[in-house]
Amino acid sequence: MKVQNLLSQILLEKEREDRNFTGLEFNVRDKGVVMNYKYDDDATAVDVHRPRYDKDPEVLNLGTFEELKPLLYEKNVPFKERRDDFM
């Protein structure tokens, strides 16, 4: 159920007209995944009187992430999966 709710939030964000959603970035760690929404940095259409507010990152467990990935492929939502190792 959580995966379906998350997918519907992503699809709503993708269809917004006030921001140019370009995809998702997943930062995979040992104990979880941080999902960030990515937007086009084109600042020409931004109202200078309203600060830009992007959607907050979501923290997922590894199981939820693995359930979400095939649904993102199915709905043609672009995403990048990062598994950076830090020293």
Side-chain angles (χ1 to χ4, degrees):
M1 185 66 177
K2 178 179 170 110
V3 173
Q4 290 300 324
N5 289 338
L6 188 57
L7 181 63
S8 63
Q9 288 177 11
I10 293 167
L11 294 176
L12 285 174
E13 197 68 22
K14 184 179 176 185
E15 293 179 12
R16 290 183 67 140
E17 295 182 10
D18 61 334
R19 292 183 217 146
N20 189 14
F21 175 81
T22 58
L24 298 168
E25 181 179 272
F26 293 98
N27 293 297
V28 181
R29 303 288 180 254
D30 291 337
K31 298 181 182 179
V33 179
V34 178
M35 179 182 80
N36 293 297
Y37 294 84
K38 298 307 226 174
Y39 302 92
D40 188 12
D41 289 333
D42 184 19
T44 59
V46 175
D47 183 358
V48 295
H49 301 291
R50 294 178 58 197
R52 180 176 170 157
Y53 178 74
D54 295 339
K55 195 156 175 62
D56 290 334
E58 301 266 351
V59 179
L60 313 173
N61 63 36
L62 293 171
T64 302
F65 173 59
E66 292 301 327
E67 286 181 53
L68 183 62
K69 276 183 7 180
L71 298 174
L72 294 174
Y73 283 121
E74 181 181 309
K75 299 292 184 182
N76 293 322
V77 176
F79 69 91
K80 183 188 311 183
E81 182 178 340
R82 298 182 61 163
R83 294 179 181 265
D84 298 339
D85 291 327
F86 297 99
M87 298 174 98

